[in-house]
Amino acid sequence: MTESKDQRMLPKTGLFVDTEPFWKGTERGELMLQYCADTQQFQMFPRPVSMYTGRRELEWRAVSGRGTIYACTIVRVPAPNLDASRLPLSLVTVELEEGVRILGNILERDPESVAIGQRVELAWDPISDEVRYPAFKVVED
Amino acid sequence: MPEPNIVIAGYAETPIAFKSGRSAYDFGGEAFASLLAATGVEKGRVDGLSVTAPLSECANPFFAVYVVEALGLSPTWLNYGAIGGCSATGGVARAAAAIRDGQCSVAVVLSADAPSTYWGPRYGGFRFEFQDPVGLMSPPAAFGLLMSRYEYQFGLSFEALGKIAVTQRAGALLNENALERFKKPLTMEKYLESRMIADPLRLLDCVMFCDGGNAFLVTSEKTAKELGIEKTVRPTAYAEVTNFNGNQACPDITETGFSEVAPKVWGQSGLSPGDIGCFQPYDDFTIAVMMQLEDFGFCPRGQGSDYVLDTDLSYQGEVPTNTGGGQLSAGQPGLASGGLNLAEAVRQMFGEAGERQVAKTGSALVTGIGVIPYGRNWGTSTAMVLEA
């Protein structure tokens, strides 16, 4: 682990529901989300049941990672477990092409120039030498 | 069995303090003792208790029972309210139902918290994996997202949000329970210059976690008379929804649970916005006040900025709003927050608001907001209409 990453908190995984497919996906470079086959809809965050049916018939499927910024802010204030070197941090809600929203960070761009309606694609944010987390990049037109 | 008319037959509120060094139990005890003193009710008559889950003591799942023991009560009905800032209004509604069901006859709705002294939550759940890593650690970031979407869809005047902050601050100057450090006039310049916390959300759009407590006596009209209590208000309408649009992956987040709750409380009470003597909306952030003015029909949806700029929201104005400063300027007593708005409504209707007394004391509208969900607006929305 490099020194600059020491302060990034590694997520505690699988405590809420089994999220192994999500984390295995990050290793392969795929964004894996929970999918309700009955209603053919994704849900984010992963849940113990389908939020559409209340049933446990859930699977995991890869999404494109392409979408549009639905809401955006710039986090400017440090918090416990939020590394101050990440500030100002571009935080957005992305509406993915698959019809589901996900919270994420926009990488490699001045947070001031991030705006609602911009198209984004999947990017990877290294949390440590071993772990990376899904993030987004603005697609330049 | 005839349906008893339910009343709020008293209120009590502690001064708001920051890093007081005191516990939720102590603030709760202070509010409880003040309530008994204000109403003249003997402790032994209290047979129902609703306790709000506080940030500072939430690690204890038995907090409500510990409070019962601390107060020396033996209630036949006990409710633990865990809908955040909705727990006070929600507690009154639940107490009313319990009284109608005969489970108790004199209930206290008690909210006290001290998060600026001791921080208790471990939210857990999905947040470790899907919210903390992206830096959404606090309500301001969630409201920054919500404000950005509102601004995108409808346009947003920061002078209008500033007017809410400035007007509420003027109310706090006349509120003896408001946090001392907030008892300085606020100007529009100072609001606009306040630093960005989570764009476009500024510092002075936000509440500050403080310590404090409040309590309400809920009983039937008949029992209140037997107890010799003269000042009462009737909750004539109540509605609540949690996780509004919760089975939709991509709802319009500018559409809130109040869009469902508001028509219900207007329908139940037969009142409309113009009838309301004062409006005490839950105000964790200025934008929440503006969105509720829209949702309750004071103005059309999306036109909150113009409406606020054109309307006097002070205690002397057309729509007296958060007349004691609200949480924004009196300080947010943790999750006892919702009781602050409710206490001000009852105080105004009792004619006990002193220098900031509103003229129309026949009715009030009080709301609650609870919990920040993933990528939406807020978890629970409650509203209660009070009538004399």
Side-chain angles (χ1 to χ4, degrees), chain B residues 13-382:
Chain B
E13 184 182 51
T14 75
I16 306 297
F18 183 68
K19 295 190 175 175
S20 65
R22 296 168 54 195
S23 72
Y25 293 102
D26 199 38
F27 281 104
E30 182 184 343
F32 180 73
S34 298
L35 182 70
L36 295 182
T39 57
V41 170
E42 295 289 329
K43 181 174 78 70
R45 285 301 302 265
V46 176
D47 59 358
L49 187 69
S50 179
V51 178
T52 295
L55 294 163
S56 56
E57 301 292 338
C58 60
N60 173 10
F62 308 118
F63 177 69
V65 180
Y66 276 44
V67 168
V68 168
E69 200 175 0
L71 300 179
L73 296 172
S74 301
T76 56
W77 174 79
L78 177 63
N79 176 57
Y80 193 29
I83 46 176
C86 296
S87 300
T89 44
V92 170
R94 285 155 176 75
I99 292 165
R100 289 196 186 103
D101 277 356
Q103 296 185 44
C104 62
S105 63
V106 178
V108 170
V109 175
L110 184 66
S111 304
D113 200 355
S116 73
T117 292
Y118 182 74
W119 184 251
R122 171 194 168 277
Y123 294 111
F126 64 89
R127 290 178 53 142
F128 287 135
E129 288 175 276
F130 301 108
Q131 191 166 308
D132 295 349
V134 300
L136 206 173
M137 316 297 279
S138 63
F143 268 79
L145 289 170
L146 175 60
M147 278 174 78
S148 78
R149 188 66 200 182
Y150 181 98
E151 185 180 18
Y152 177 82
Q153 288 186 204
F154 303 113
L156 180 58
S157 159
F158 295 98
E159 281 76 11
L161 296 181
K163 186 179 174 185
I164 291 169
V166 169
T167 305
Q168 289 197 194
R169 179 61 62 88
L173 301 181
L174 305 175
N175 179 355
E176 62 282 2
N177 288 335
L179 185 71
E180 273 308 316
R181 84 154 73 165
F182 287 158
K183 289 192 180 174
K184 285 176 291 190
L186 179 62
T187 61
M188 183 65 76
E189 292 69 34
K190 207 172 161 193
Y191 166 83
L192 291 170
E193 284 166 10
S194 71
R195 65 194 164 98
M196 286 290 178
I197 299 292
D199 309 37
L201 181 96
R202 291 171 165 80
L203 178 69
L204 291 176
D205 289 311
C206 308
V207 287
M208 186 170 86
F209 274 139
C210 298
D211 305 344
N214 47 70
F216 302 87
L217 193 76
V218 183
T219 187
S220 68
E221 213 160 29
K222 183 165 167 275
T223 307
K225 279 203 185 98
E226 286 167 13
L227 292 167
I229 296 172
E230 284 169 11
K231 284 185 181 176
T232 61
V233 298
R234 295 176 297 133
T236 55
Y238 176 77
E240 167 184 323
V241 64
T242 296
N243 200 26
F244 176 70
N245 283 339
N247 62 350
Q248 293 178 33
C250 297
D252 178 350
I253 64 167
T254 69
E255 185 183 24
T256 80
F258 290 117
S259 67
E260 181 179 308
V261 161
K264 288 186 181 173
V265 295
W266 294 136
Q268 288 169 27
S269 64
L271 299 181
S272 60
D275 300 324
I276 287 296
C278 64
F279 183 34
Q280 309 292 345
Y282 195 90
D283 59 322
D284 45 356
F285 298 94
T286 54
I287 186 80
V289 175
M290 180 185 287
M291 291 174 73
Q292 290 176 82
L293 285 165
E294 297 176 10
D295 282 335
F296 285 93
F298 291 93
C299 64
R301 188 154 169 237
Q303 293 179 28
S305 291
D306 286 347
Y307 178 79
V308 166
L309 290 171
D310 291 343
T311 306
D312 185 350
L313 301 176
S314 78
Y315 72 94
Q316 296 164 305
E318 305 140 75
V319 183
T321 300
N322 284 334
T323 42
Q327 301 170 41
L328 285 166
S329 267
Q332 181 180 58
L335 296 181
S337 50
L340 184 142
N341 305 83
L342 179 59
E344 180 67 6
V346 179
R347 181 188 289 114
Q348 289 284 1
M349 291 185 67
F350 281 8
E352 295 178 354
E355 286 181 88
R356 64 181 190 278
Q357 180 63 49
V358 302
K360 283 166 68 181
T361 57
S363 64
L365 173 63
V366 189
T367 70
I369 285 177
V371 196
I372 304 299
Y374 181 91
R376 294 167 186 262
N377 40 55
W378 48 77
T380 303
S381 305
T382 56

Side-chain angles (χ1 to χ4, degrees), chain A residues 8-9 11-17 19 22-23 42 44-46 51-52 69-77 79-82 86 89 91-93 95 99-105 116 133, chain B residues 122 124-126 128-138 140-142 144-146 148-149 152-153 195-201 243 245-254 374-376:
Chain A
R8 289 289 289 272
M9 184 182 61
K12 298 169 189 167
T13 66
L15 297 178
F16 183 58
V17 295
T19 53
F22 174 90
W23 293 104
F42 284 93
M44 181 64 192
F45 53 94
M51 64 184 243
Y52 307 107
I69 295 178
Y70 177 79
C72 75
T73 188
I74 305 171
V75 178
R76 296 187 185 269
V77 181
N81 299 321
L82 176 58
R86 296 176 74 193
L89 177 65
L91 170 65
V92 300
T93 309
E95 188 160 318
V100 62
R101 294 199 190 125
I102 181 170
L103 295 170
N105 302 121
I116 291 173
Y133 198 80
Chain B
R122 171 194 168 277
F126 64 89
F128 287 135
E129 288 175 276
F130 301 108
Q131 191 166 308
D132 295 349
V134 300
L136 206 173
M137 316 297 279
S138 63
L145 289 170
L146 175 60
S148 78
R149 188 66 200 182
Y152 177 82
Q153 288 186 204
R195 65 194 164 98
M196 286 290 178
I197 299 292
D199 309 37
L201 181 96
N243 200 26
N245 283 339
N247 62 350
Q248 293 178 33
C250 297
D252 178 350
I253 64 167
T254 69
Y374 181 91
R376 294 167 186 262

Side-chain angles (χ1 to χ4, degrees), chain A residues 2-31:
Chain A
T2 61
E3 200 172 306
S4 64
K5 304 291 186 222
D6 275 354
Q7 289 171 291
R8 289 289 289 272
M9 184 182 61
L10 288 169
K12 298 169 189 167
T13 66
L15 297 178
F16 183 58
V17 295
D18 179 13
T19 53
E20 194 181 356
F22 174 90
W23 293 104
K24 290 280 185 201
T26 66
E27 292 169 12
R28 297 191 304 272
E30 282 187 323
L31 177 55

